[in-house]
Amino acid sequence: VQLQASGGGLVQTGGSLRLSCTVSGFDFSNYVMGWFRQTPGKEREFVAGITRGGKNTNYADSVKGRFTISRDNAISMVYLQLNSLKPEDTAVYYCAADRSTRWPASPYAAHYDYWGQGTLVTVSS
């Protein structure tokens, strides 16, 4: 099982980034996918989730209207578009896979079965 997140980097306030997560080793289309983020000394925080078919999404209040999660089951990838970035969005971002049929996607990290290694997003003020 492998989840490889990429696309992080340094961006100015108000800028945009697109994170990608490539998945292999399990049946991607049967997993709810989520994005989380974490800063030093804090717990991992739910950012966004998407159902197996990609029709339904849910977001943390702090990112609603600015971030968009999407997936492409044909190539086993999940994305997170980050717009209108703020310094408080600075974190390591992780993709995660949940084999359950929960809807909405769970905001609890413990409910996810597989995790990627994370990609760092830094937003300068």
Side-chain angles (χ1 to χ4, degrees):
V1 172
Q2 191 169 16
L3 291 82
Q4 184 80 29
S6 62
L10 174 64
V11 63
Q12 291 184 334
T13 296
S16 297
L17 284 173
R18 189 192 195 206
L19 306 184
S20 300
C21 178
T22 303
V23 167
S24 62
F26 62 94
D27 188 358
F28 177 76
S29 63
N30 280 330
Y31 281 69
V32 171
M33 296 299 296
W35 284 95
F36 287 73
R37 65 188 182 186
Q38 189 170 25
T39 54
K42 293 189 176 181
E43 292 188 357
R44 205 161 286 191
E45 172 192 24
F46 175 78
V47 175
I50 188 167
T51 50
R52 294 175 294 173
K55 291 184 178 180
N56 295 296
T57 58
N58 57 313
Y59 298 91
D61 288 343
S62 59
V63 307
K64 205 171 291 183
R66 300 188 298 121
F67 291 7
T68 303
I69 187 172
S70 61
R71 68 190 294 165
D72 187 338
N73 286 348
I75 58 172
S76 298
M77 291 193 69
V78 60
Y79 306 97
L80 187 68
Q81 178 68 39
L82 290 67
N83 296 331
S84 302
L85 281 161
K86 305 174 182 180
E88 52 263 43
D89 294 319
T90 295
V92 176
Y93 284 72
Y94 299 89
C95 56
D98 175 4
R99 71 165 64 95
S100 79
T101 57
R102 292 185 185 94
W103 170 248
S106 174
Y108 302 107
H111 287 168
Y112 288 77
D113 302 287
Y114 304 130
W115 291 86
Q117 87 292 356
T119 185
L120 176 63
V121 172
T122 303
V123 184
S124 63
S125 57

